[in-house]
Each structure stands twice: as structure tokens, then as C-alpha cells.
Amino acid sequence: MQVLMTEIETVREHMVMLGLTEGFTSRNTVRISQTLDYLLNELSKVLAAD
């Protein structure tokens, strides 16, 4: 679970940086946001299984 949480934080930071440089509605920012959503859903599944 710690690896997943670290990955979530890394992707979140990347998304924010992309949003600030390319805009929050850019194709790249939206794609990273979708990746972050996926990771957060995976974390939710792990937490629900406990």
C-alpha cells in the first residue's frame, strides 16, 4: 500500500506541474488526472479489503 501511496503522490505532483505549465484542461494534464483517478480507485479497493 505504501508503494501505491507514493505513486499517487508522484502522479499528483506531476499533474499539478503540468497544469501550471500547460493549463489544467490540456490533453496531457487530463491524461495524468485520469491516471491519478485510477490510482485513487485502486487505493480505495485496497482500503476496502482491509
Side-chain angles (χ1 to χ4, degrees):
M1 183 166 69
Q2 186 61 37
V3 172
L4 182 57
M5 291 177 70
T6 301
E7 188 173 359
I8 287 169
E9 184 60 23
T10 301
V11 171
R12 186 193 66 78
E13 289 174 3
H14 187 197
M15 182 187 71
V16 170
M17 287 176 27
L18 271 175
L20 292 172
T21 56
E22 296 185 10
F24 287 99
T25 58
S26 80
R27 182 180 308 251
N28 290 328
T29 304
V30 170
R31 185 176 35 205
I32 295 297
S33 175
Q34 291 169 339
T35 300
L36 181 58
D37 287 344
Y38 171 79
L39 293 171
L40 290 170
N41 287 333
E42 291 300 306
L43 179 61
S44 179
K45 289 177 190 176
V46 169
L47 293 174
D50 283 342

Coordinates of all heavy atoms in Angstrom, one line a residue:
M1 N 0.8 -1.2 0.0 CA 0.0 0.0 0.0 C 0.9 1.3 0.0 O 0.5 2.2 -0.6 CB -0.9 0.0 1.2 CG -1.9 1.2 1.2 SD -3.3 1.1 2.3 CE -2.5 1.3 3.9
Q2 N 2.0 1.2 0.7 CA 2.9 2.4 0.7 C 3.4 2.7 -0.7 O 3.5 3.9 -1.0 CB 4.1 2.1 1.7 CG 5.0 3.3 1.9 CD 4.2 4.5 2.5 OE1 3.4 4.3 3.3 NE2 4.6 5.7 2.0
V3 N 3.7 1.7 -1.5 CA 4.2 1.9 -2.9 C 3.1 2.7 -3.6 O 3.4 3.6 -4.4 CB 4.6 0.6 -3.6 CG1 4.8 0.8 -5.0 CG2 5.8 0.0 -2.8
L4 N 1.8 2.2 -3.5 CA 0.7 2.9 -4.2 C 0.6 4.3 -3.7 O 0.3 5.2 -4.6 CB -0.6 2.1 -3.9 CG -1.8 2.5 -4.6 CD1 -1.7 2.6 -6.1 CD2 -3.0 1.6 -4.2
M5 N 0.7 4.6 -2.5 CA 0.5 5.9 -2.0 C 1.6 6.8 -2.5 O 1.4 8.0 -2.8 CB 0.5 5.9 -0.4 CG -0.8 5.3 0.1 SD -0.9 5.1 1.8 CE -1.1 6.8 2.3
T6 N 2.9 6.3 -2.6 CA 4.0 7.1 -3.1 C 3.7 7.4 -4.6 O 4.0 8.5 -5.0 CB 5.3 6.3 -2.9 OG1 5.5 6.0 -1.5 CG2 6.5 7.0 -3.5
E7 N 3.2 6.4 -5.3 CA 3.0 6.6 -6.7 C 1.9 7.7 -6.9 O 1.9 8.5 -7.8 CB 2.6 5.3 -7.4 CG 2.4 5.4 -8.9 CD 2.2 4.1 -9.6 OE1 2.1 3.1 -8.9 OE2 2.0 4.1 -10.8
I8 N 0.8 7.6 -6.0 CA -0.2 8.6 -6.1 C 0.3 10.0 -5.9 O 0.0 10.9 -6.6 CB -1.3 8.3 -5.1 CG1 -2.1 7.1 -5.5 CG2 -2.2 9.5 -4.8 CD1 -3.1 6.5 -4.4
E9 N 1.2 10.2 -4.9 CA 1.8 11.5 -4.6 C 2.6 12.0 -5.8 O 2.6 13.1 -6.2 CB 2.6 11.4 -3.3 CG 3.1 12.8 -2.9 CD 2.1 13.9 -2.7 OE1 0.9 13.5 -2.4 OE2 2.4 15.0 -2.8
T10 N 3.4 11.1 -6.4 CA 4.3 11.4 -7.5 C 3.4 11.9 -8.7 O 3.7 12.9 -9.3 CB 5.1 10.2 -7.9 OG1 6.0 9.9 -6.8 CG2 6.0 10.6 -9.1
V11 N 2.4 11.1 -9.0 CA 1.5 11.5 -10.1 C 0.7 12.8 -9.9 O 0.6 13.6 -10.7 CB 0.5 10.3 -10.4 CG1 -0.6 10.7 -11.4 CG2 1.3 9.1 -10.9
R12 N 0.3 13.0 -8.6 CA -0.4 14.2 -8.3 C 0.5 15.4 -8.5 O 0.1 16.4 -9.1 CB -0.8 14.2 -6.8 CG -1.7 15.4 -6.4 CD -1.9 15.5 -4.9 NE -0.6 15.7 -4.2 CZ 0.0 16.9 -4.1 NH1 -0.6 18.0 -4.7 NH2 1.1 17.1 -3.5
E13 N 1.8 15.3 -8.0 CA 2.7 16.4 -8.2 C 3.0 16.7 -9.7 O 3.0 17.8 -10.1 CB 4.1 16.1 -7.5 CG 4.0 16.2 -6.0 CD 5.2 15.7 -5.3 OE1 6.2 15.4 -6.0 OE2 5.2 15.7 -4.1
H14 N 3.1 15.6 -10.5 CA 3.3 15.8 -11.9 C 2.1 16.5 -12.6 O 2.2 17.3 -13.4 CB 3.5 14.4 -12.5 CG 3.9 14.4 -14.0 ND1 3.8 13.3 -14.8 CD2 4.3 15.4 -14.8 CE1 4.2 13.6 -16.0 NE2 4.5 14.9 -16.0
M15 N 0.9 16.1 -12.1 CA -0.3 16.7 -12.7 C -0.4 18.2 -12.4 O -0.7 19.0 -13.2 CB -1.6 16.0 -12.1 CG -2.9 16.5 -12.6 SD -4.3 15.8 -11.8 CE -4.2 16.6 -10.2
V16 N 0.0 18.5 -11.2 CA -0.1 20.0 -10.8 C 1.0 20.7 -11.6 O 0.7 21.8 -12.1 CB 0.2 20.1 -9.3 CG1 0.4 21.6 -8.9 CG2 -1.0 19.6 -8.5
M17 N 2.2 20.2 -11.8 CA 3.2 20.9 -12.6 C 2.7 21.0 -14.0 O 2.9 22.1 -14.6 CB 4.5 20.1 -12.5 CG 5.2 20.3 -11.2 SD 6.7 19.3 -10.9 CE 7.4 19.1 -12.5
L18 N 2.1 20.0 -14.6 CA 1.6 20.1 -16.0 C 0.5 21.1 -16.0 O 0.4 21.9 -17.0 CB 1.1 18.7 -16.4 CG 2.1 17.8 -17.1 CD1 1.4 16.4 -17.4 CD2 2.6 18.4 -18.4
G19 N -0.4 21.1 -15.1 CA -1.5 22.0 -15.1 C -1.0 23.5 -15.0 O -1.5 24.3 -15.7
L20 N 0.1 23.7 -14.3 CA 0.6 25.1 -14.2 C 1.3 25.5 -15.5 O 1.3 26.7 -15.8 CB 1.5 25.2 -13.0 CG 0.8 25.1 -11.6 CD1 1.9 25.0 -10.5 CD2 -0.1 26.3 -11.4
T21 N 2.0 24.5 -16.2 CA 2.7 24.9 -17.4 C 1.9 24.8 -18.6 O 2.0 25.7 -19.5 CB 3.9 24.0 -17.5 OG1 3.5 22.6 -17.5 CG2 4.9 24.2 -16.4
E22 N 1.0 23.8 -18.7 CA 0.2 23.6 -20.0 C -1.2 24.0 -19.8 O -1.9 24.1 -20.8 CB 0.3 22.1 -20.4 CG 1.6 21.6 -20.7 CD 1.6 20.2 -21.3 OE1 0.5 19.7 -21.5 OE2 2.7 19.6 -21.4
G23 N -1.7 24.2 -18.6 CA -3.1 24.5 -18.4 C -3.8 23.3 -17.8 O -3.4 22.2 -18.2
F24 N -4.8 23.6 -17.0 CA -5.4 22.4 -16.3 C -6.4 21.7 -17.2 O -6.9 20.6 -16.9 CB -6.1 22.9 -15.1 CG -5.2 23.3 -14.0 CD1 -4.8 24.6 -13.8 CD2 -4.6 22.3 -13.2 CE1 -3.9 24.9 -12.8 CE2 -3.7 22.6 -12.2 CZ -3.3 23.9 -12.0
T25 N -6.6 22.2 -18.4 CA -7.5 21.5 -19.4 C -6.7 20.9 -20.6 O -7.3 20.4 -21.5 CB -8.7 22.3 -19.9 OG1 -8.1 23.5 -20.5 CG2 -9.6 22.8 -18.7
S26 N -5.4 21.0 -20.5 CA -4.6 20.4 -21.6 C -4.8 18.9 -21.7 O -5.1 18.2 -20.7 CB -3.1 20.8 -21.4 OG -2.5 19.9 -20.5
R27 N -4.5 18.4 -22.8 CA -4.7 16.9 -23.0 C -3.8 16.1 -22.1 O -4.2 15.1 -21.5 CB -4.3 16.6 -24.5 CG -4.5 15.1 -24.9 CD -4.1 14.9 -26.3 NE -4.8 15.8 -27.2 CZ -5.8 15.4 -28.0 NH1 -6.2 14.2 -28.0 NH2 -6.4 16.3 -28.7
N28 N -2.5 16.6 -21.9 CA -1.6 15.9 -21.0 C -2.0 15.9 -19.6 O -1.9 14.9 -18.8 CB -0.2 16.5 -21.1 CG 0.5 16.2 -22.5 OD1 0.2 15.1 -23.1 ND2 1.3 17.1 -23.0
T29 N -2.5 17.1 -19.1 CA -3.0 17.2 -17.7 C -4.2 16.3 -17.5 O -4.3 15.6 -16.4 CB -3.3 18.7 -17.4 OG1 -2.2 19.5 -17.7 CG2 -3.7 18.9 -16.0
V30 N -5.1 16.3 -18.4 CA -6.3 15.5 -18.3 C -5.9 14.0 -18.2 O -6.4 13.2 -17.4 CB -7.3 15.7 -19.4 CG1 -8.4 14.7 -19.4 CG2 -7.9 17.1 -19.2
R31 N -4.9 13.6 -19.1 CA -4.5 12.2 -19.1 C -3.9 11.8 -17.8 O -4.1 10.7 -17.2 CB -3.5 12.0 -20.2 CG -3.1 10.5 -20.4 CD -2.2 10.3 -21.6 NE -1.3 11.5 -21.8 CZ -0.8 11.8 -22.9 NH1 -1.0 11.1 -24.0 NH2 0.0 12.9 -23.0
I32 N -3.0 12.7 -17.2 CA -2.4 12.4 -15.9 C -3.5 12.4 -14.8 O -3.4 11.6 -13.9 CB -1.3 13.4 -15.6 CG1 -0.2 13.3 -16.6 CG2 -0.8 13.3 -14.2 CD1 0.6 12.0 -16.6
S33 N -4.5 13.2 -14.9 CA -5.6 13.3 -14.0 C -6.3 11.9 -14.0 O -6.7 11.4 -13.0 CB -6.5 14.4 -14.3 OG -7.6 14.4 -13.5
Q34 N -6.5 11.4 -15.2 CA -7.2 10.1 -15.3 C -6.4 9.0 -14.7 O -6.9 8.1 -14.0 CB -7.5 9.8 -16.8 CG -8.6 10.7 -17.3 CD -8.7 10.6 -18.8 OE1 -7.8 10.1 -19.5 NE2 -9.8 11.0 -19.4
T35 N -5.0 9.1 -14.8 CA -4.2 8.1 -14.2 C -4.3 8.2 -12.7 O -4.3 7.2 -12.0 CB -2.7 8.3 -14.6 OG1 -2.6 8.2 -16.1 CG2 -1.7 7.4 -14.0
L36 N -4.3 9.4 -12.2 CA -4.4 9.7 -10.7 C -5.8 9.1 -10.2 O -5.8 8.5 -9.2 CB -4.3 11.1 -10.4 CG -4.4 11.5 -9.0 CD1 -3.4 10.8 -8.1 CD2 -4.3 13.0 -8.8
D37 N -6.8 9.3 -11.0 CA -8.1 8.8 -10.6 C -8.1 7.2 -10.5 O -8.6 6.6 -9.6 CB -9.2 9.1 -11.6 CG -9.6 10.6 -11.6 OD1 -9.3 11.3 -10.6 OD2 -10.2 11.1 -12.5
Y38 N -7.4 6.6 -11.5 CA -7.3 5.2 -11.4 C -6.5 4.7 -10.2 O -7.0 3.8 -9.5 CB -6.5 4.7 -12.7 CG -6.2 3.2 -12.6 CD1 -7.1 2.2 -12.9 CD2 -4.9 2.8 -12.3 CE1 -6.8 0.9 -12.8 CE2 -4.6 1.5 -12.2 CZ -5.5 0.5 -12.5 OH -5.2 -0.8 -12.4
L39 N -5.4 5.4 -9.9 CA -4.6 5.0 -8.7 C -5.4 5.2 -7.4 O -5.4 4.4 -6.5 CB -3.3 5.8 -8.7 CG -2.3 5.5 -9.8 CD1 -1.2 6.5 -9.8 CD2 -1.8 4.1 -9.7
L40 N -6.2 6.3 -7.4 CA -7.0 6.5 -6.2 C -8.1 5.5 -6.0 O -8.4 5.0 -4.9 CB -7.6 7.9 -6.2 CG -6.6 9.1 -6.0 CD1 -7.3 10.4 -6.4 CD2 -6.1 9.1 -4.6
N41 N -8.7 5.0 -7.1 CA -9.6 3.9 -7.1 C -9.0 2.6 -6.6 O -9.6 1.9 -5.8 CB -10.3 3.7 -8.4 CG -11.3 4.8 -8.8 OD1 -11.9 5.5 -7.9 ND2 -11.5 5.1 -10.1
E42 N -7.8 2.4 -7.1 CA -7.1 1.2 -6.6 C -6.8 1.3 -5.1 O -7.0 0.3 -4.4 CB -5.8 1.0 -7.4 CG -5.9 0.6 -8.8 CD -6.7 -0.7 -9.0 OE1 -6.3 -1.7 -8.4 OE2 -7.7 -0.7 -9.7
L43 N -6.4 2.4 -4.6 CA -6.2 2.6 -3.2 C -7.5 2.4 -2.4 O -7.5 1.7 -1.4 CB -5.6 4.0 -2.9 CG -5.4 4.3 -1.4 CD1 -4.4 3.4 -0.8 CD2 -5.0 5.8 -1.3
S44 N -8.6 2.9 -2.9 CA -9.9 2.7 -2.3 C -10.2 1.2 -2.2 O -10.7 0.7 -1.2 CB -11.0 3.4 -3.1 OG -12.2 3.2 -2.5
K45 N -9.9 0.4 -3.2 CA -10.2 -1.0 -3.2 C -9.3 -1.7 -2.1 O -9.8 -2.6 -1.4 CB -9.9 -1.6 -4.6 CG -10.8 -1.3 -5.7 CD -10.4 -1.9 -7.0 CE -11.2 -1.3 -8.1 NZ -10.7 -1.9 -9.4
V46 N -8.0 -1.3 -2.1 CA -7.1 -1.9 -1.1 C -7.7 -1.6 0.3 O -7.7 -2.5 1.2 CB -5.7 -1.4 -1.2 CG1 -4.8 -1.7 -0.1 CG2 -5.1 -1.9 -2.6
L47 N -8.1 -0.4 0.6 CA -8.6 0.0 1.9 C -9.9 -0.7 2.2 O -10.1 -1.0 3.4 CB -8.7 1.5 2.0 CG -7.4 2.3 1.9 CD1 -7.7 3.8 1.8 CD2 -6.5 2.0 3.1
A48 N -10.7 -0.9 1.2 CA -12.0 -1.6 1.5 C -11.8 -3.1 1.8 O -12.6 -3.7 2.5 CB -12.9 -1.4 0.3
A49 N -10.7 -3.6 1.3 CA -10.4 -5.0 1.5 C -9.9 -5.3 2.9 O -9.9 -6.5 3.4 CB -9.5 -5.6 0.5
D50 N -9.4 -4.3 3.6 CA -8.9 -4.5 4.9 C -9.9 -4.7 6.0 O -11.0 -4.5 6.0 CB -8.0 -3.3 5.3 CG -6.7 -3.3 4.7 OD1 -6.3 -4.4 4.2 OD2 -6.0 -2.2 4.7

